[in-house]
Structure formats: structure tokens, C-alpha cells
Amino acid sequence: MLGAPGVGKGTQGRRLAAMHGCSLISTGEILREAAARGTPLGLEARRQMDSGRLVDDDVMIGLVRERTLEPDARDGFVLDGFPRTVPQAVALDAMLAERGQRIEVVLYLEASEDELVRRLQGRRECPVCKRAYNPEGTPARDGSHCDDHPAVELRLRQDDSEEAVRQRFAEFRAKTAPLVDYYTVTGRLRPVTGMGTVDGVFETLRRETGFGSRTPQTN
Ligand code: AP5
Ligand code: MG
């Protein structure tokens, strides 16, 4: 899943992974969990994340190399938030080729920056399952607790402050947008509108990933 902050990579990636019966690997989520546990990697990453800057390529490549070797990733995975730079994309292709795997499709979600800023300002997420909500478009049933964990209060994400969001967009434009060319040249890019309802966007994504031998579940 490729796209700017707030475009719906996590929201849609979660649904796609469930539909294809594979794991969702979100590098942002992995870093936030490491930070919450207070590991050295997590604490260092927290500084970068909270200011809206990308974490170093070497750290991210090592992290994804290990994560994609775990048993739940053996039959495929949806990557959310990785790669985010050309060196990460090159390293990913090389590491998967060594294993006889490859990235089949790159879903490039697009939406206007005004819409994305609105979404990020309103985002609240469940600290347990990490599902994201928004009063406009994706509200929780009771407004402040997770639908799937009714005892758990939704919370803000630390990097959704105005300043960090501005920096995240700048990082996206400078370092991640060049991946559009990288994946276009190799014939894997599928641009998809991220505007519209969550169900509407998902329907388009579902069509774009209707590949391979796995029979998608229908729910
Ligand atoms: P990461 O966690 O990946 O953040 P991001 O790319 O900024 O994207 P977000 O998670 O904010 O947005 P999203 O696209 O997942 O949207 P969501 O579904 O939540 O990375 C965080 C940080 O980690 C980075 O800044 C960096 O420091 C570091 N990092 C991670 N990976 C890295 C890497 N590879 N290299 C270097 N550093 C890395 O939706 C947003 C909101 O909109 C929610 O409220 C949701 O409910 C709502 N919403 C979703 N879809 C719709 C819709 N269709 N209509 C209305 N509302 C919607
Ligand atoms: Mg996300």
C-alpha cells in the first residue's frame, strides 16, 4: 500500500489482508509498538516519528527483512508503509527475489491534501487493535470506544499534531513519491482513488487485487 499520510493505507490494508487471508505488516505500527515497549529501536524511532521524519533506511530494511520471515508471512502479506524510499524498494525487491517471492501489485491510494489533513485531525485509534476511526466517515458506534473493544477508549496518535503532519507530507513528497515512477516502470503500480467511502475504495482495491490462486473470502 503506497500513499500519503491519512489516505487509508491502514484502514484498507487491514481489510485486504483479511480478505486474502494473509498478514498485514504495518511498519508504522511495528515502530509504535517498539516505542511503547521502550526498546532502544523504539525509543530512537519515536523521536523521528513524533517529528514526522522517516526512520533510517537501514533500520527499516532490517526490520522488514526479519518480519517477513515470520511464519505468518510465508504465504504472502500486505505491506502498509513500506517501502517509503527508493533504496527501501530496491532492497525489498532484492530480499524477496532471494526467497523466490515478489511484490505483485502496488496499490497507490490518492486523495487531496485537504481531505487528508481533515482525516488526520479527526483520527482516533484503538490502542488494542489499532483500528482507526474518524467522526466524519468512519465513526465508532458510540463515538469514543472501539466497536470491537467496547471497554477501550479511543486515543489520538502522537504524530497527528499539526507540525508533525506538515513534516510527514514533506517527507512523502520528497522521498516516497519517487516510488510512483519506480513501480510504474516495473509495471506494478495500480493508482486507485482514496476519495469516497471506505466501502467504495475497498471495492476498487478488491478488483485490483483479484489475482493469484488464493480464493478471496467474500466478507
Ligand atoms: P505510518 O504509521 O505508516 O503513518 P503514515 O504513512 O503517515 O500514514 P497514516 O498511518 O497516518 O495513515 P493511513 O494511510 O494508514 O490512513 P488511516 O487508514 O489511518 O508511519 C508513521 C511513521 O513511522 C512515519 O512518519 C515514519 O516516521 C515511520 N515509518 C513507518 N514506516 C517507515 C518506513 N518504511 N521508512 C521510514 N520511516 C517509516 O486513515 C486515516 C484516517 O482517515 C482515520 O481516521 C480513518 O478512520 C479515516 N479514513 C480512512 N479512510 C477513509 C475514507 N475513505 N473516508 C473517510 N475517512 C477515512
Ligand atoms: Mg497507517
Side-chain angles (χ1 to χ4, degrees):
M1 311 286 303
L2 180 64
V7 76
K9 301 183 295 297
T11 300
Q12 300 292 347
R14 165 186 297 266
R15 294 177 72 158
L16 278 176
M19 184 186 75
H20 285 277
C22 63
S23 297
L24 174 68
I25 298 179
S26 161
T27 45
E29 228 26 85
I30 294 172
L31 295 173
R32 282 186 287 279
E33 276 170 16
R37 285 200 311 274
T39 67
L41 163 75
L43 295 177
E44 177 54 33
R46 166 108 283 158
R47 271 197 289 280
Q48 302 292 99
M49 282 191 290
D50 287 354
S51 65
R53 293 182 194 283
L54 293 186
V55 173
D56 292 349
D57 284 341
D58 289 351
V59 172
M60 297 310 302
I61 292 164
L63 191 147
V64 167
R65 184 185 299 281
E66 285 185 14
R67 177 64 186 87
T68 52
L69 282 173
E70 286 178 23
D72 69 332
R74 202 183 43 218
D75 296 331
F77 42 80
V78 174
L79 274 175
D80 157 20
F82 187 94
R84 252 169 147 104
T85 65
V86 171
Q88 290 181 16
V90 171
L92 179 65
D93 279 343
M95 82 171 79
L96 293 180
E98 279 170 18
R99 304 173 192 167
Q101 294 180 312
R102 70 188 184 95
I103 294 295
E104 293 184 71
V105 63
V106 177
L107 298 164
Y108 176 37
L109 282 172
E110 295 177 278
S112 72
E113 206 165 300
D114 285 351
E115 166 74 8
L116 300 184
V117 168
R118 250 196 314 278
R119 288 185 190 177
L120 293 173
Q121 280 170 347
R123 173 164 57 188
R124 300 287 181 277
E125 66 175 30
C126 172
V128 174
C129 68
K130 318 296 188 229
R131 182 170 163 188
Y133 295 89
N134 205 298
E136 286 175 48
T138 55
R141 270 198 297 270
D142 82 348
S144 56
H145 295 83
C146 180
D147 292 355
D148 303 319
H149 301 93
V152 177
E153 200 159 341
L154 302 177
R155 66 176 183 196
L156 289 165
R157 222 171 83 178
Q158 266 172 261
D159 60 346
D160 281 345
S161 67
E162 199 184 324
E163 204 185 323
V165 165
R166 206 174 311 117
Q167 184 61 40
R168 283 158 63 199
F169 280 116
E171 292 280 78
F172 176 78
R173 281 191 290 265
K175 297 176 186 165
T176 309
L179 289 180
V180 169
D181 280 349
Y182 179 85
Y183 286 119
T184 300
V185 168
T186 51
R188 291 173 286 178
L189 195 83
R190 304 282 186 280
V192 172
T193 180
M195 301 290 277
T197 63
V198 172
D199 286 346
V201 174
F202 182 66
E203 187 48 34
T204 315
L205 290 170
R206 204 181 56 77
R207 281 200 302 273
E208 291 291 350
T209 57
F211 61 84
S213 56
R214 200 179 288 119
T215 308
Q217 294 159 11
T218 48
N219 58 351

mmCIF file of all heavy atoms in Angstrom, residues 5-11 26 28-29 32 80-81 84 123 125 130 132 157 168, ligand 2:
data_model
loop_
_atom_site.group_PDB
_atom_site.id
_atom_site.type_symbol
_atom_site.label_atom_id
_atom_site.label_comp_id
_atom_site.label_asym_id
_atom_site.label_seq_id
_atom_site.Cartn_x
_atom_site.Cartn_y
_atom_site.Cartn_z
ATOM 1 N N PRO A 5 0.216 10.321 4.008
ATOM 2 C CA PRO A 5 -0.343 10.159 5.350
ATOM 3 C C PRO A 5 -1.859 10.359 5.341
ATOM 4 O O PRO A 5 -2.359 11.304 4.736
ATOM 5 C CB PRO A 5 0.332 11.282 6.149
ATOM 6 C CG PRO A 5 1.612 11.544 5.433
ATOM 7 C CD PRO A 5 1.323 11.293 3.983
ATOM 8 N N GLY A 6 -2.574 9.446 5.981
ATOM 9 C CA GLY A 6 -4.017 9.601 6.155
ATOM 10 C C GLY A 6 -4.859 9.141 4.991
ATOM 11 O O GLY A 6 -6.094 9.236 5.026
ATOM 12 N N VAL A 7 -4.246 8.578 3.951
ATOM 13 C CA VAL A 7 -5.020 8.240 2.754
ATOM 14 C C VAL A 7 -5.843 6.955 2.928
ATOM 15 O O VAL A 7 -6.721 6.659 2.127
ATOM 16 C CB VAL A 7 -4.091 8.170 1.512
ATOM 17 C CG1 VAL A 7 -3.277 6.890 1.499
ATOM 18 C CG2 VAL A 7 -4.867 8.373 0.233
ATOM 19 N N GLY A 8 -5.518 6.183 3.978
ATOM 20 C CA GLY A 8 -6.300 4.966 4.225
ATOM 21 C C GLY A 8 -5.519 3.678 4.054
ATOM 22 O O GLY A 8 -6.103 2.601 3.919
ATOM 23 N N LYS A 9 -4.192 3.752 4.099
ATOM 24 C CA LYS A 9 -3.364 2.548 3.925
ATOM 25 C C LYS A 9 -3.688 1.513 4.998
ATOM 26 O O LYS A 9 -3.849 0.329 4.713
ATOM 27 C CB LYS A 9 -1.858 2.892 3.991
ATOM 28 C CG LYS A 9 -1.416 3.905 2.946
ATOM 29 C CD LYS A 9 0.080 4.165 3.008
ATOM 30 C CE LYS A 9 0.560 4.833 4.292
ATOM 31 N NZ LYS A 9 0.026 6.184 4.518
ATOM 32 N N GLY A 10 -3.763 1.973 6.236
ATOM 33 C CA GLY A 10 -4.053 1.051 7.343
ATOM 34 C C GLY A 10 -5.477 0.539 7.282
ATOM 35 O O GLY A 10 -5.732 -0.667 7.393
ATOM 36 N N THR A 11 -6.422 1.455 7.081
ATOM 37 C CA THR A 11 -7.848 1.084 7.038
ATOM 38 C C THR A 11 -8.104 0.051 5.951
ATOM 39 O O THR A 11 -8.745 -0.984 6.174
ATOM 40 C CB THR A 11 -8.695 2.358 6.762
ATOM 41 O OG1 THR A 11 -8.465 3.284 7.823
ATOM 42 C CG2 THR A 11 -10.170 2.036 6.658
ATOM 43 N N SER A 26 2.453 -3.563 9.017
ATOM 44 C CA SER A 26 2.486 -2.100 9.022
ATOM 45 C C SER A 26 3.749 -1.653 9.741
ATOM 46 O O SER A 26 3.904 -1.881 10.950
ATOM 47 C CB SER A 26 1.245 -1.564 9.750
ATOM 48 O OG SER A 26 1.469 -0.227 10.151
ATOM 49 N N GLY A 28 4.740 1.365 10.456
ATOM 50 C CA GLY A 28 4.432 2.388 11.462
ATOM 51 C C GLY A 28 3.970 1.740 12.764
ATOM 52 O O GLY A 28 4.402 2.111 13.862
ATOM 53 N N GLU A 29 3.114 0.727 12.627
ATOM 54 C CA GLU A 29 2.595 0.002 13.795
ATOM 55 C C GLU A 29 3.724 -0.708 14.548
ATOM 56 O O GLU A 29 3.781 -0.695 15.777
ATOM 57 C CB GLU A 29 1.602 -1.046 13.275
ATOM 58 C CG GLU A 29 0.283 -1.128 13.965
ATOM 59 C CD GLU A 29 -0.130 0.155 14.604
ATOM 60 O OE1 GLU A 29 -0.709 1.028 13.952
ATOM 61 O OE2 GLU A 29 0.177 0.279 15.802
ATOM 62 N N ARG A 32 5.644 1.887 16.458
ATOM 63 C CA ARG A 32 4.904 2.418 17.621
ATOM 64 C C ARG A 32 4.872 1.390 18.756
ATOM 65 O O ARG A 32 4.978 1.733 19.922
ATOM 66 C CB ARG A 32 3.477 2.826 17.213
ATOM 67 C CG ARG A 32 3.429 4.173 16.495
ATOM 68 C CD ARG A 32 2.011 4.640 16.231
ATOM 69 N NE ARG A 32 1.361 3.899 15.172
ATOM 70 C CZ ARG A 32 1.533 4.134 13.868
ATOM 71 N NH1 ARG A 32 2.314 5.100 13.465
ATOM 72 N NH2 ARG A 32 0.904 3.414 12.957
ATOM 73 N N ASP A 80 2.023 -2.246 4.575
ATOM 74 C CA ASP A 80 1.467 -0.902 4.762
ATOM 75 C C ASP A 80 2.589 0.002 5.276
ATOM 76 O O ASP A 80 3.079 -0.203 6.384
ATOM 77 C CB ASP A 80 0.298 -0.993 5.759
ATOM 78 C CG ASP A 80 -0.013 0.327 6.455
ATOM 79 O OD1 ASP A 80 0.382 1.396 5.959
ATOM 80 O OD2 ASP A 80 -0.673 0.262 7.519
ATOM 81 N N GLY A 81 3.006 0.964 4.445
ATOM 82 C CA GLY A 81 4.010 1.928 4.912
ATOM 83 C C GLY A 81 5.442 1.535 4.603
ATOM 84 O O GLY A 81 6.375 2.187 5.065
ATOM 85 N N ARG A 84 9.209 3.097 1.523
ATOM 86 C CA ARG A 84 8.877 4.521 1.529
ATOM 87 C C ARG A 84 9.969 5.361 0.902
ATOM 88 O O ARG A 84 9.869 6.583 0.886
ATOM 89 C CB ARG A 84 8.756 4.963 2.979
ATOM 90 C CG ARG A 84 7.371 5.228 3.428
ATOM 91 C CD ARG A 84 7.487 5.370 4.914
ATOM 92 N NE ARG A 84 6.536 6.302 5.392
ATOM 93 C CZ ARG A 84 5.426 5.924 6.009
ATOM 94 N NH1 ARG A 84 5.142 4.654 6.166
ATOM 95 N NH2 ARG A 84 4.613 6.825 6.460
ATOM 96 N N ARG A 123 -8.630 11.791 13.420
ATOM 97 C CA ARG A 123 -8.360 10.367 13.679
ATOM 98 C C ARG A 123 -8.260 10.051 15.165
ATOM 99 O O ARG A 123 -7.618 10.739 15.944
ATOM 100 C CB ARG A 123 -7.062 9.938 13.001
ATOM 101 C CG ARG A 123 -6.675 8.510 13.402
ATOM 102 C CD ARG A 123 -5.649 7.895 12.516
ATOM 103 N NE ARG A 123 -4.429 8.661 12.437
ATOM 104 C CZ ARG A 123 -3.451 8.369 11.584
ATOM 105 N NH1 ARG A 123 -3.565 7.368 10.741
ATOM 106 N NH2 ARG A 123 -2.357 9.095 11.581
ATOM 107 N N GLU A 125 -7.652 6.269 17.427
ATOM 108 C CA GLU A 125 -7.469 4.838 17.177
ATOM 109 C C GLU A 125 -7.549 4.005 18.432
ATOM 110 O O GLU A 125 -7.351 4.501 19.547
ATOM 111 C CB GLU A 125 -6.197 4.564 16.364
ATOM 112 C CG GLU A 125 -4.920 4.882 17.069
ATOM 113 C CD GLU A 125 -3.698 4.460 16.237
ATOM 114 O OE1 GLU A 125 -3.742 4.457 14.995
ATOM 115 O OE2 GLU A 125 -2.683 4.144 16.875
ATOM 116 N N LYS A 130 -5.664 -1.230 17.061
ATOM 117 C CA LYS A 130 -5.116 -0.187 16.182
ATOM 118 C C LYS A 130 -6.067 0.241 15.072
ATOM 119 O O LYS A 130 -5.661 0.930 14.140
ATOM 120 C CB LYS A 130 -3.776 -0.611 15.535
ATOM 121 C CG LYS A 130 -2.817 -1.309 16.454
ATOM 122 C CD LYS A 130 -2.363 -0.407 17.585
ATOM 123 C CE LYS A 130 -1.261 -1.076 18.369
ATOM 124 N NZ LYS A 130 -1.432 -1.088 19.773
ATOM 125 N N ALA A 132 -8.525 2.453 13.093
ATOM 126 C CA ALA A 132 -8.671 3.914 13.103
ATOM 127 C C ALA A 132 -10.123 4.312 12.881
ATOM 128 O O ALA A 132 -10.833 3.686 12.100
ATOM 129 C CB ALA A 132 -7.797 4.524 12.022
ATOM 130 N N ARG A 157 -3.175 9.854 17.920
ATOM 131 C CA ARG A 157 -1.824 9.384 17.632
ATOM 132 C C ARG A 157 -0.871 10.551 17.809
ATOM 133 O O ARG A 157 -1.153 11.655 17.366
ATOM 134 C CB ARG A 157 -1.769 8.835 16.201
ATOM 135 C CG ARG A 157 -0.974 7.547 16.131
ATOM 136 C CD ARG A 157 -1.094 6.903 14.808
ATOM 137 N NE ARG A 157 -0.168 7.482 13.836
ATOM 138 C CZ ARG A 157 -0.044 7.058 12.596
ATOM 139 N NH1 ARG A 157 -0.779 6.059 12.171
ATOM 140 N NH2 ARG A 157 0.814 7.625 11.771
ATOM 141 N N ARG A 168 5.366 15.221 7.776
ATOM 142 C CA ARG A 168 5.099 13.915 7.148
ATOM 143 C C ARG A 168 4.753 14.090 5.669
ATOM 144 O O ARG A 168 5.180 13.305 4.824
ATOM 145 C CB ARG A 168 3.975 13.179 7.890
ATOM 146 C CG ARG A 168 4.469 12.554 9.201
ATOM 147 C CD ARG A 168 3.341 12.316 10.176
ATOM 148 N NE ARG A 168 2.349 11.379 9.718
ATOM 149 C CZ ARG A 168 1.118 11.293 10.230
ATOM 150 N NH1 ARG A 168 0.753 12.100 11.229
ATOM 151 N NH2 ARG A 168 0.269 10.408 9.777
HETATM 152 MG MG MG B 2 -1.498 3.845 8.953
#
